[in-house]
Amino acid sequence: MTPPPDLNVVEWAEKYRRLSRESSNGGKFVVSRVEVARGPMLWATEPGVRTITLMACTQLLKTTVIENIVGRFAHLDPCPMLLVFPKDDAAQTFSKDRLAPMIRDTPVLRTLFGEAKAKDAGATLDHKQFEGGHITLVGSNSPTNLAMRPIRLLGCDEIDKFPASAGGEGPPIDLAVERQAEFEANALTVLTCSPTIAGRSAIEASYEESDQRRAYVCCPHPGCGTWQSLEWDRVKFDKDPQDRILPETARYECTACEQPWTEAHRLVALRKVEWRQTRPFTCCGEYQTPERWGPEAHGVRRALCAHCGTEAVPNEHAGGVASKLYAPKQTITKTVAKFARALRRGPEALRTFFNTQLARTWKEGADTPEWQDVYARRDTYLTGTVSRGALILFGGVDVQKDRLEVTVWGFGRNRERWLVEHRVLPGDTGRAPVWAELAALFDETWEHETGTPMAVRDWGIDSGAFTAEVYAFVRSQAGRGNVHAIDGADSYAGAFLGVGAKDANAAGKKLRRGLKTIRIGVSFAKQEMMGCLALHRPPGGEAFPAGFVHLPRDVTEDGVKQLTAEELVVSTNRGRTRREWVPIGGRRNEWLDCANYARGLAAMRGWDRWREGHWRDLEAVLGIERQPTQEAIVPPVVAANTLATRDQQRRSVRRSRVTNRR
């Protein structure tokens, strides 16, 4: 009648777990050997946590955390469990090499599962029963096994190697999570993996959805004591005269005192690890990055609002990331040596280093800026207003089945542009009401900083998906003279590729006054946009760099994510190189598409080649008086009877003779 002891995963592992003789540390389990693993184990029993995501380097903590969670729940809180691996053979390998030895060498588990099953793991590789529950091990490519029975505890290892769909029935993780419906109140999901390609890494996407916990350690130097997460950017090393890395000079520098850490310093720092929530949040009407945390409980310090002090980040989805810098058995010197070797071997080896050693994703193709960096450099103006530098407006419209998405952009000198406003017009695009709402939007104006109302110069509507509806609407707006159907092309030749005629007579001849489409080089526009979004805000009052993209202060996170929603992937197939823009992590891209259409229209009107006189005319319309920045250039005076005057006389005589012959 005595209830089981109420122990968390760490307490259970240190009291009952015995490491197998196959392990490098056989005998009693001691979590302080890898202190960074303490937090993730405690999250399994943290009140409120339903999902744990571990994006970690190889051979650090992922598999051990899963083993101890399984052992603790099987012993103290028995329930049906499902462990999912990329393929069936990986599930069998885990069963034979990790699970069976843990049961064999941990007395409480050996008693629970039975002597026969502990010794004869081959007879029950994929299904192990115990009183009150069972453990099922399956491959992610089998939809039948994923949907076979209800489960409470779900563990998915190496999820970046899972197929996109299990037998055509959907993502394996989604199928497995559906099996937890009967245990919704106390279900737990554990997802682990080292990351892979940025934008296509499942573990990266899961971590982004979590509360983004990071491991902090304290600087061991006396008088400093700054808590910080260990980052690769703080690892320093010297080079020889041939620009080769010298691993023996590797050291870690504190973010505050900038004093180097020896390997002994690093090991001292790793004795105490604090996991803290780092996901940005909005509280008290202000967007904040966590700078205050509550006391440590259940292996984490919760983020607090800087104003009201409340716990501002929910903990339902706990996510952690850890690199080899937290591994006590691998020195910084060895990590830098691996980095130097990867640099010599090329991009593939470097990608492996980033994934397996730093627990960081690898970017392929063009550098699409991180949306967080773009979001952090917003301007001070608000949505719906036009900044002083924006002198002309262009609008882009993206057509979806259930809505129209409209963006207005302002363009100015120095190839700078300003996001003015983005609106969503909901409604079935196969019916008239939503198109009538768009037509009404065309009559609106936006107030310039000078107080002058501004109308959009040209509107462009994507005609790729709903061609008939768009063509019909553009024809109905022919009287405006500034509403165009957009035809996007995968071209890097330019933003504006010309005009295409769509209407023809019975003989097939194109009608000169028929419907025209504006051909836009969307690949060119995307590549230009990504490069411009990557520009940094200049310090102080310095001028903005050419091509800078200004975003309003109140732009949404989702909007910035959509502007940076695609990346350029370069692949080679049968000797032919292919460049393709692909979505990042399933993000929507309507904001980016609308920006491309507006950019193409600006190119059509000559934005790229306008001279100062044209900009002065636009400023005059807005009532902007611009002071001259330089003196007028006076042509040099040519002295009489010089060689220059004789050349001018000969050129004028030749022009006169040609005129007379005509």
Side-chain angles (χ1 to χ4, degrees):
M1 298 296 292
T2 303
D6 185 15
L7 303 177
N8 58 44
V9 176
V10 172
E11 293 169 341
W12 177 87
E14 292 192 327
K15 183 175 182 179
Y16 296 109
R17 177 82 188 271
R18 294 295 181 273
L19 295 174
S20 306
R21 52 180 174 268
E22 295 90 344
S23 172
S24 60
N25 295 313
K28 184 178 180 181
F29 181 87
V30 180
V31 72
S32 59
R33 290 173 178 167
V34 185
E35 183 63 26
V36 72
R38 182 185 300 272
M41 293 183 193
L42 294 175
W43 305 341
T45 54
E46 178 184 343
V49 171
R50 292 292 174 264
T51 303
I52 298 174
T53 295
L54 294 179
M55 185 170 69
C57 62
T58 56
Q59 301 298 311
L60 181 63
L61 55 83
K62 302 189 301 294
T63 305
T64 300
V65 169
I66 291 179
E67 291 173 351
N68 288 339
I69 291 176
V70 168
R72 184 267 179 192
F73 276 86
H75 179 208
L76 304 180
D77 193 3
C79 60
M81 309 180 196
L82 176 65
L83 302 182
V84 186
F85 300 87
K87 295 183 179 180
D88 290 336
D89 56 353
Q92 295 177 3
T93 299
F94 179 86
S95 179
K96 290 186 292 185
D97 297 345
R98 305 301 294 262
L99 186 58
M102 181 178 73
I103 295 173
R104 179 196 65 205
D105 298 326
T106 302
V108 294
L109 296 182
R110 185 169 63 245
T111 302
L112 180 67
F113 284 86
E115 290 285 348
K117 291 182 180 179
K119 294 180 179 179
D120 188 14
T124 55
L125 285 178
D126 58 354
H127 188 68
K128 299 180 182 294
Q129 291 184 335
F130 55 90
E131 186 176 355
H134 59 79
I135 302 176
T136 303
L137 302 93
V138 301
S140 61
N141 53 347
S142 174
T144 302
N145 291 335
L146 292 174
M148 185 176 296
R149 52 178 65 87
I151 51 120
R152 175 187 165 195
L153 178 60
L154 171 64
C156 300
D157 195 18
E158 300 297 338
I159 66 173
D160 274 18
K161 299 177 183 178
F162 286 12
S165 178
E169 296 188 16
I173 296 178
D174 293 348
L175 294 177
V177 169
E178 286 298 317
R179 300 303 96 202
Q180 296 178 298
E182 295 187 14
F183 298 91
E184 185 175 356
N186 58 355
L188 178 64
T189 300
V190 182
L191 309 175
T192 67
C193 193
S194 298
T196 51
I197 305 299
R200 285 176 277 168
S201 172
I203 196 69
E204 178 197 36
S206 183
Y207 178 76
E208 289 292 332
E209 296 171 355
S210 72
D211 58 4
Q212 300 176 15
R213 304 178 181 189
R214 303 191 75 87
Y216 281 66
V217 298
C218 184
C219 177
H221 285 291
C224 181
T226 301
W227 286 87
Q228 57 201 278
S229 60
L230 300 182
E231 303 293 343
W232 174 247
D233 297 340
R234 302 302 303 176
V235 175
K236 309 297 180 180
F237 45 79
D238 299 333
K239 295 184 179 181
D240 63 12
Q242 287 73 39
D243 201 38
R244 292 176 298 191
I245 296 175
L246 301 175
E248 62 273 11
T249 65
R251 69 273 183 192
Y252 186 89
E253 292 186 358
C254 174
T255 58
C257 66
E258 297 186 351
Q259 292 295 316
W261 295 6
T262 64
E263 184 60 25
H265 285 142
R266 187 181 73 97
L267 293 178
V268 169
L270 291 179
R271 292 176 182 174
K272 173 61 177 175
V273 177
E274 286 188 359
W275 287 89
R276 301 181 181 182
Q277 293 178 321
T278 64
R279 180 172 182 169
F281 59 90
T282 299
C283 189
C284 296
E286 181 181 341
Y287 182 83
Q288 305 177 40
T289 299
E291 296 180 353
R292 291 179 55 195
W293 292 270
E296 185 175 9
H298 305 285
V300 65
R301 295 184 65 181
R302 303 282 298 276
L304 304 179
C305 174
H307 304 293
C308 64
T310 60
E311 294 181 348
V313 180
N315 70 331
E316 181 178 359
H317 188 165
V321 58
S323 68
K324 282 290 187 180
L325 297 178
Y326 293 93
K329 290 187 177 181
Q330 179 166 305
T331 65
I332 294 182
T333 298
K334 187 173 182 179
T335 303
V336 172
K338 291 183 178 180
F339 175 64
R341 189 182 308 115
L343 281 177
R344 294 193 299 268
R345 294 183 178 181
E348 288 299 319
L350 198 59
R351 182 180 73 176
T352 301
F353 174 82
F354 270 70
N355 295 162
T356 63
Q357 303 297 308
L358 303 184
R360 289 166 57 174
T361 54
W362 174 259
K363 284 190 174 182
E364 288 186 336
D367 275 341
T368 297
E370 296 290 343
W371 73 267
Q372 296 93 334
D373 297 336
V374 178
Y375 187 81
R377 64 160 180 75
R378 294 161 292 164
D379 280 33
T380 57
Y381 71 97
L382 295 175
T383 296
T385 60
V386 184
S387 296
R388 186 179 183 86
L391 303 179
I392 190 170
L393 304 181
F394 293 96
V397 183
D398 188 73
V399 184
Q400 300 293 325
K401 183 178 181 181
D402 59 348
R403 68 190 184 280
L404 299 174
E405 301 215 12
V406 187
T407 308
V408 177
W409 284 86
F411 293 77
R413 289 183 177 86
N414 199 31
R415 295 180 53 244
E416 294 180 50
R417 45 184 148 166
W418 288 257
L419 173 62
V420 177
E421 186 172 1
H422 182 88
R423 292 191 198 176
V424 178
L425 307 180
D428 186 354
T429 50
R431 300 181 179 274
V434 69
W435 294 104
E437 189 175 354
L438 178 62
L441 177 61
F442 292 167
D443 294 325
E444 294 188 23
T445 59
W446 285 261
E447 184 177 353
H448 192 266
E449 188 175 327
T450 60
T452 305
M454 294 182 66
V456 171
R457 175 61 182 87
D458 288 285
W459 296 94
I461 308 173
D462 177 31
S463 62
F466 299 87
T467 306
E469 290 84 353
V470 173
Y471 285 179
F473 177 75
V474 172
R475 288 190 178 98
S476 71
Q477 302 296 311
R480 296 180 183 270
N482 67 340
V483 180
H484 313 280
I486 297 295
D487 184 10
D490 181 16
S491 172
Y492 293 90
F496 172 62
L497 304 178
V499 179
K502 293 299 179 182
D503 289 341
N505 57 20
K509 183 179 179 180
K510 298 293 184 180
L511 298 179
R512 187 170 63 89
R513 296 184 179 277
L515 178 70
K516 303 295 192 298
T517 58
I518 307 301
R519 299 181 61 244
I520 302 297
V522 292
S523 295
F524 175 92
K526 290 176 183 178
Q527 182 164 296
E528 181 188 56
M529 173 62 82
M530 297 310 164
C532 293
L533 288 174
L535 297 174
H536 296 288
R537 176 176 291 277
E542 296 182 14
F544 287 97
F548 193 83
V549 177
H550 300 264
L551 302 176
R553 185 179 66 210
D554 54 348
V555 66
T556 63
E557 290 186 8
D558 181 66
V560 178
K561 288 180 180 179
Q562 290 198 42
L563 283 175
T564 56
E566 296 188 20
E567 64 179 347
L568 181 62
V569 175
V570 182
S571 58
T572 303
N573 186 16
R574 298 181 180 180
R576 300 184 63 180
T577 301
R578 182 183 181 186
R579 306 169 71 192
E580 181 182 11
W581 287 93
V582 298
I584 298 177
R587 298 183 197 170
R588 299 199 341 256
N589 59 357
E590 289 85 359
W591 287 52
L592 177 60
D593 288 341
C594 291
N596 295 336
Y597 307 149
R599 173 65 178 95
L601 293 175
M604 178 187 71
R605 293 301 179 188
W607 176 57
D608 302 86
R609 58 181 185 275
W610 284 342
R611 297 187 177 183
E612 182 61 23
H614 195 100
W615 293 116
R616 293 292 181 90
D617 293 340
L618 293 175
E619 287 179 331
V621 173
L622 296 172
I624 300 176
E625 295 183 2
R626 188 176 183 88
Q627 298 296 328
T629 56
Q630 60 182 7
E631 297 181 357
I633 300 176
V634 180
V637 178
V638 181
N641 298 322
T642 61
L643 181 61
T645 58
R646 290 195 294 271
D647 289 341
Q648 290 178 356
Q649 293 173 356
R650 283 195 294 269
R651 286 195 294 269
S652 63
V653 170
R654 283 196 294 268
R655 286 196 293 269
S656 300
R657 289 174 180 171
V658 172
T659 304
N660 292 335
R661 284 198 296 270
R662 289 180 180 175

